[in-house]
Amino acid sequence: MTRTDALRQWHELQVSQLELEVQSAALAELGRQKREAEQGLLRYAGLFDQAPVCYLALARDGCIAGANRAAAALFGMPLDQLPGQPVERFLAPASQAALRALLARLRADGSSSAIEAQLFEDLGGGRVRIEANLDQAGDAIRMVLSDLRTREQHEAALRRAFAVLDTLGEGVAVADADGVIVAVNPAFTAISGYTEAQAIGRDLADICGAEAAQMILEEASWQGELAGRRPDGAEFQAGLSLRSLSGADGGVAGVVAVLTDISRRKQAESALQDLHRNLESRVVQRTAELLHTNGQLRQLSAHMASVKEEERKRIAREIHDELGQNLLALKLDIVQLNERMGGRQGRFARRVSAALANIDATLRSVRGIMNELRPSVLDLGLAAALEWLVNDFRHRSNLHYELALPGDAEMAAIDSETSLVLFRIVQEALVNALRHSRATQVTVRLEAGEGGVQLEVEDNGIGIAPSCRERPGSFGLIGMQERADALHGSFTLGEYEPGAGCRIIVRLPLLINQ
């Protein structure tokens, strides 16, 4: 091989290698472009499938070749069942002719055409906007459906929101991110005194205060009360609520301020406080009057009880002195007359015996009336009076009575007024036990010491229910309470337990007999 042939062969090899490198670079570029195209196709497919607007790909005959999820939701059919379905089957019969006309007038230059149509009744009968055009090859139709209800509802909701905002009783001001007011409603003008022209463009801090403006920068919301001044110099009071509006970047895009007129509420609160102070003063005054009246009533009650006891004593003495003595004298006269007759006339003797028996019964009745008014045994002391009273109740009923008294020295220390009160309370308690308790046993205990006198009357009956304690016409317990209060003592009725009986405790200060 000559040198020339070798050089030629080497040159051809170099050319072949360069061609291979060029071809490899071209193949690599084609691969990159293919991958980018595939990725772009995937992105397009994802956008197409997830788009909120209904996208359809139609064959020239109007049958669906492809659709996204929004179209499937609008037509109420699974996505995989839409291909092959004629799109006009989803439209109301009145709109199908318009759709066919739309498809017929599509041109190959890619220009779009649109109509408004109504969906089939089973799909809700809503109105949609249909926009379509041909692809470059003219073999397929691209179609976009927009639900007109959403836009109409949004516009209607926006109109309603503005109408509500204008009729709100609360003042509303909207400021931008810099705190400059951009919108207000009529109520804001009425509360703050700033007209719309005066308010728009003004710094929100001028009206709501620098402190509130600073707080809204530190927190998302703020509430408080505002004492402001209108342009004419008049003061106003309002409840202030500030809330920040978040922007797309997470920052503060604006501020909404809501003013609530609380001037009347403040006036009402002030009037209520004045009324409350006046009421407290009147309550204190009325309480003092009631306490004074109550004291007078207690004094009157004590005086009436004293007068009643004196009247009882006077009537008992008159009955003893007049009626008792007259009956006794009459009895003596009849006895003497009977002795003079010597029993000679049997009929007369029987009449005399009957008269004497009648006189004896009348004397017993008189003694009973006297004891009811004021037992003469009270003059012998409290111990004798209580023993007589308990024995009298033993004879009048089948109840078992027990009486426990302190020693003679302690009994002697009890003054006559206290003795009378204790006797009357025991008498009333025994009457109540006999009439209402259904008891089988009653115990009376009296204790005396340096601290005073304590009386307990206890039975094993049904007890006194709270509803019975305040029954109209029931003055027994009230009388005991008043008697104890008159001597600056205390009256306590044990807690009610059904079937656990009744216990009365009276404590009186001990006064030394003079």
Side-chain angles (χ1 to χ4, degrees):
M1 179 181 298
T2 66
R3 181 178 177 82
T4 302
D5 294 335
L7 289 172
R8 186 174 62 250
Q9 188 176 6
W10 178 82
H11 181 71
E12 290 176 355
L13 289 174
Q14 290 291 328
V15 171
S16 298
Q17 185 176 358
L18 289 173
E19 290 177 351
L20 287 174
E21 289 178 358
V22 171
Q23 290 177 0
S24 297
L27 289 174
E29 179 64 20
L30 289 174
R32 184 185 64 79
Q33 293 179 0
K34 180 181 179 182
R35 287 193 299 273
E36 289 181 355
E38 289 176 350
Q39 291 175 0
L41 183 61
L42 289 175
R43 286 195 297 271
Y44 172 76
L47 291 173
F48 175 81
D49 189 49
Q50 301 297 331
V53 180
C54 302
Y55 289 126
L56 295 176
L58 305 181
R60 288 305 302 266
D61 59 358
C63 291
I64 298 174
N68 66 348
R69 297 180 183 273
L74 181 64
F75 294 151
M77 182 175 289
L79 184 60
D80 57 354
Q81 296 182 14
L82 283 177
Q85 299 287 343
V87 70
E88 70 175 39
R89 65 159 290 190
F90 300 105
L91 300 182
S95 299
Q96 292 176 2
L99 175 65
R100 290 193 293 268
L102 169 68
L103 298 179
R105 65 174 175 264
L106 294 179
R107 297 192 298 272
D109 59 1
S111 60
S112 62
S113 183
I115 63 169
E116 289 188 5
Q118 186 174 4
L119 293 177
F120 196 68
E121 195 67 31
D122 290 346
L123 301 178
R127 294 189 63 78
V128 294
R129 174 182 170 82
I130 301 175
E131 187 172 356
N133 65 349
L134 288 174
D135 62 1
Q136 293 180 355
D139 297 330
I141 301 172
R142 294 187 292 261
M143 182 175 288
V144 180
L145 286 82
S146 302
D147 191 352
L148 293 179
R149 291 178 302 176
T150 302
R151 185 175 67 186
E152 293 173 353
Q153 291 172 354
H154 174 72
E155 292 176 352
L158 194 60
R159 289 194 298 270
R160 288 195 299 271
F162 278 111
V164 170
L165 191 63
D166 288 342
T167 57
L168 276 179
E170 286 79 12
V172 179
V174 181
D176 58 16
D178 298 325
V180 177
I181 298 176
V182 296
V184 296
N185 70 338
F188 182 88
T189 298
I191 295 174
S192 67
Y194 288 90
T195 65
E196 185 176 0
Q198 291 173 327
I200 294 178
R202 183 178 292 273
D203 195 338
L204 185 63
D206 294 343
I207 299 176
C208 297
E211 181 182 356
Q214 181 64 29
M215 291 295 295
I216 195 60
L217 295 177
E218 299 175 0
E219 303 178 6
S221 61
W222 182 85
Q223 287 185 342
E225 292 186 358
L226 171 67
R229 189 177 296 275
R230 297 186 174 94
D232 59 3
E235 295 182 351
F236 70 91
Q237 291 179 314
L240 175 61
S241 175
L242 297 176
R243 183 173 295 275
S244 62
L245 301 175
S246 300
D249 57 353
V252 177
V255 179
V256 175
V258 179
L259 292 179
T260 303
D261 189 0
I262 60 173
S263 300
R264 292 185 178 178
R265 193 192 76 188
K266 288 294 185 180
Q267 293 174 0
E269 288 177 355
S270 178
L272 185 61
Q273 290 176 356
D274 293 341
L275 179 62
H276 182 67
R277 287 192 293 268
N278 186 28
L279 183 60
E280 285 183 344
S281 176
R282 293 178 61 186
V283 167
V284 171
Q285 180 182 358
R286 185 59 178 164
T287 301
E289 293 175 357
L290 289 176
L291 289 175
H292 179 67
T293 303
N294 191 39
Q296 291 180 330
L297 288 175
R298 290 190 181 279
Q299 292 177 2
L300 178 61
S301 176
H303 175 69
M304 293 297 294
S306 176
V307 171
K308 182 178 179 181
E309 290 295 336
E310 290 297 327
E311 188 68 13
R312 283 171 174 263
K313 184 177 181 180
R314 183 187 65 80
I315 295 175
R317 184 172 57 251
E318 289 183 359
I319 291 177
H320 177 270
D321 294 344
E322 298 293 334
L323 183 60
Q325 290 184 8
N326 290 338
L327 288 173
L328 182 60
L330 179 62
K331 179 179 179 180
L332 293 176
D333 291 341
I334 293 177
V335 169
Q336 290 177 2
L337 180 62
N338 186 38
E339 289 177 353
R340 290 179 181 179
M341 294 296 297
R344 291 191 297 271
Q345 297 183 11
R347 181 179 179 184
F348 181 78
R350 289 192 298 273
R351 293 290 299 274
V352 169
S353 297
L356 289 174
N358 192 15
I359 292 174
D360 290 337
T362 303
L363 285 172
R364 287 193 298 271
S365 177
V366 167
R367 284 194 294 270
I369 293 173
M370 291 169 55
N371 288 330
E372 287 292 333
L373 290 172
R374 187 181 185 279
S376 58
V377 72
L378 276 172
D379 298 330
L380 302 178
L382 180 61
L386 291 178
E387 289 176 354
W388 171 84
L389 181 63
V390 170
N391 287 328
D392 181 61
F393 272 86
R394 283 197 186 102
H395 295 129
R396 292 164 56 183
S397 66
N398 296 324
L399 276 68
H400 178 69
Y401 293 89
E402 292 184 2
L403 176 64
L405 299 175
D408 293 340
E410 289 82 359
M411 293 296 295
I414 303 175
D415 63 287
S416 58
E417 185 178 1
T418 304
S419 299
L420 180 60
V421 169
L422 292 172
F423 177 82
R424 290 304 184 190
I425 290 176
V426 173
Q427 186 180 38
E428 184 65 34
L430 293 181
V431 170
N432 286 343
L434 181 62
R435 292 178 179 177
H436 310 295
S437 70
R438 304 178 190 174
T440 59
Q441 180 174 341
V442 181
T443 302
V444 179
R445 286 186 292 271
L446 183 65
E447 299 176 358
E450 295 181 358
V453 182
Q454 176 171 304
L455 170 68
E456 294 184 18
V457 182
E458 186 176 6
D459 63 58
N460 62 350
I462 61 174
I464 303 177
S467 59
C468 298
R469 299 178 185 180
E470 299 181 359
R471 181 182 299 171
S474 299
F475 297 105
L477 297 177
I478 297 176
M480 297 182 201
Q481 177 78 62
E482 290 297 324
R483 289 181 183 274
D485 290 342
L487 295 183
H488 307 288
S490 65
F491 172 85
T492 306
L493 185 62
E495 293 186 3
Y496 172 69
E497 293 183 16
C502 176
R503 185 185 184 194
I504 294 173
I505 302 175
V506 178
R507 295 183 178 89
L508 300 176
L510 185 60
L511 302 177
I512 304 299
N513 276 317
Q514 299 296 328

